[in-house]
Amino acid sequence: MSKSDHSFSDSERAGLYRAIYERRDVRSQFLPDPIPRPVLARLLKAAHHAPSVGFMQPWDFILIDSAEVRQQVLASFNEENAKAADNYTGERQQTYRSLKLQGITESPMNLCITCDRSRGGTHVLGRNSIVEMDLFSTCLAVQNLWLAARAEGIGVGWVSIIDQGELAKILNLPDNVYPLAYLCLGYVSEFADQPELEAKGWRSRLPLDELVHGNRWGVSLDDKALLGKLTK
Amino acid sequence: MSKSDHSFSDSERAGLYRAIYERRDVRSQFLPDPIPRPVLARLLKAAHHAPSVGFMQPWDFILIDSAEVRQQVLASFNEENAKAADNYTGERQQTYRSLKLQGITESPMNLCITCDRSRGGTHVLGRNSIVEMDLFSTCLAVQNLWLAARAEGIGVGWVSIIDQGELAKILNLPDNVYPLAYLCLGYVSEFADQPELEAKGWRSRLPLDELVHGNRWGVSLDDKALLGKLTK
């Protein structure tokens, strides 16, 4: 069988790569329009088809539209964000304070993707050596949903400035369930050309060729053909 | 501006969803054909365009084709896998032993995606509350690469049965660098219709509608229109 039998058509590949390159972390551009149920279902199904260690599928999806719950989450964000701002001084702190880092109440839907650390019992296949594989699997579900959302024209923002213990209390999570990702979802006025932190000069994209090693850490890759492709 | 302005065309969306649904964790079906450099470059660029907390980009990519390094990694796998098999008894243990759980030497390329936990300094934006956000970001890069690989007709297998400390030694990683994902990459003879663990009866896919909650954990979603779409 030819090795090329399983690759996608050019237009199918283009769709995937477009989602990868045009996906953004959205905080400021949410529109209030509700997400149609068939679209929301496609996003959740995309997440549910992520790979998971031992086919554990440790995720749950808490869809949050309650104003009361969202106000509680926003209060936790505000507390954590005030602490975070104190880590910076001078111009850097001013830039930090100018950044909008969440869209909890402006977006029409929030979604907490959780990880049930006890799912599948004591001995989940492939989780014997690295116990965090359940958390990592849940991240893969987040990325599936994030890419599917972009293709549907829906922006996603991951709110990571939040106290996980506080969030677990607000959402009534059992002890074995970890609130891995708190996401804001909604249609947007625009998807920016660049990540906001890049556009605002907070941090630059690293040159990819400097992040590639050959066989062991710190050994330059002896492959000019590949390195040349990475700098473009 | 209309909310639908930013959604993809049907064919672009189809390409993304095809990658999501037809992606597999490959262990047994690797072909020895080398991966062309332009294809490998596209995979690495896809990973590098994942979202990361504070635009931290904590990942590095160690491309491994050395037979010596791979034999060392395989030895670590074999040791961990023997321990893991002892967790099961009877028929379950027989099934476990019948599963092929890695393609370290059969695949033409191995790739370790690492997470540099010190990148970006002490105060990475958005990582103040959840210090593991750097690991989670690196997982998102893994999923971008995994989906891009599927579109290129390349299989990926994540080897999670491995001692991370041992792997860090084999790859000469500095203390601050965590070997998050050890992946096997290559063209394949087939992409199976179902995940192997599902096909072999190890574990079933969970019903998605049972994993969706409304506003708080354990509260049924009051949305029959959405729930109906999730069971199909």
Side-chain angles (χ1 to χ4, degrees), chain A residues 1 3 6-8 12-13 15-21 23 33 37 41-42 45-46 48-51 54-57 59-66 68-69 80 84 87-88 96 99 114 119-120 123-126 128-130 133 136 139-140 143-144 146-148 150-153 158 160-162 164 170-174 177-178 180 187-191 197 202-206 208 211-217 223 226 229 232, chain B residues 1 3 6-8 12-13 15-21 23 33 37 41-42 45-46 48-51 54-57 60-66 68-69 80 84 87-88 96 99 114 119-120 123-126 128-130 133 136 139-140 143-144 146-148 150-153 158 160-162 164 170-174 177-178 180 187-191 197 202-206 208 211-217 223 226 229 232:
Chain A
M1 184 177 287
K3 67 183 170 61
H6 306 291
S7 66
F8 289 7
E12 287 173 322
R13 285 197 296 142
L16 169 64
Y17 283 123
R18 188 180 166 198
I20 286 173
Y21 286 106
R23 181 211 49 74
D33 311 70
R37 273 23 200 174
R42 287 199 290 273
K45 286 164 89 166
H48 190 42
H49 280 77
F55 207 39
M56 181 183 181
Q57 309 159 76
W59 41 70
D60 279 77
F61 305 94
I62 308 179
L63 286 165
I64 300 153
D65 57 5
S66 151
E68 182 200 342
V69 173
E80 290 298 300
N87 292 326
Y88 307 102
Y96 185 91
L99 295 166
T114 60
R119 188 163 294 162
H123 296 298
V124 170
L125 185 149
N128 201 52
S129 307
I130 311 172
M133 280 302 296
F136 298 166
C139 292
L140 306 181
Q143 185 64 357
N144 267 12
W146 209 335
L147 293 171
R150 179 62 193 88
E152 303 283 358
W158 184 330
S160 64
I161 302 170
I162 206 159
Q164 303 296 86
I170 295 168
L171 300 177
N172 283 346
L173 301 186
V177 175
Y178 177 77
L180 186 115
Y187 290 102
V188 297
S189 56
E190 63 163 343
F191 285 98
L197 295 184
W202 183 267
R203 196 167 157 78
S204 303
R205 193 175 293 282
L206 301 174
L208 177 53
L211 302 177
V212 178
H213 311 241
N215 285 308
R216 289 188 183 85
W217 182 269
D223 189 333
L226 178 59
K229 295 269 176 205
K232 278 172 210 157
Chain B
M1 185 178 287
K3 67 183 171 59
H6 305 292
S7 67
F8 289 7
E12 286 174 321
R13 284 196 296 142
L16 169 64
Y17 283 122
R18 188 180 166 197
I20 286 172
Y21 286 105
R23 180 211 50 75
D33 310 71
R37 274 20 201 177
R42 287 200 289 274
K45 286 163 87 166
H48 189 43
H49 280 77
F55 206 39
M56 182 183 179
Q57 309 159 73
D60 279 78
F61 306 94
I62 308 180
L63 286 165
I64 300 154
D65 58 5
S66 151
E68 182 200 342
V69 173
E80 290 297 301
N87 291 327
Y88 307 102
Y96 186 90
L99 295 166
T114 61
R119 189 163 294 162
H123 297 298
V124 170
L125 184 150
N128 200 53
S129 307
I130 311 171
M133 280 301 297
F136 299 165
C139 292
L140 306 182
Q143 185 65 357
N144 267 11
W146 210 334
L147 293 171
R150 179 62 194 88
E152 302 283 358
W158 183 332
S160 64
I161 302 170
I162 206 160
Q164 303 294 86
I170 295 169
L171 300 178
N172 283 347
L173 301 186
V177 175
Y178 177 78
L180 186 116
Y187 289 102
V188 297
S189 57
E190 63 163 343
F191 285 96
L197 295 183
W202 184 266
R203 193 165 160 78
S204 303
R205 193 176 293 281
L206 301 174
L208 176 53
L211 302 177
V212 178
H213 310 242
N215 285 309
R216 289 190 183 83
W217 182 269
D223 189 334
L226 178 60
K229 296 270 174 202
K232 279 173 211 156

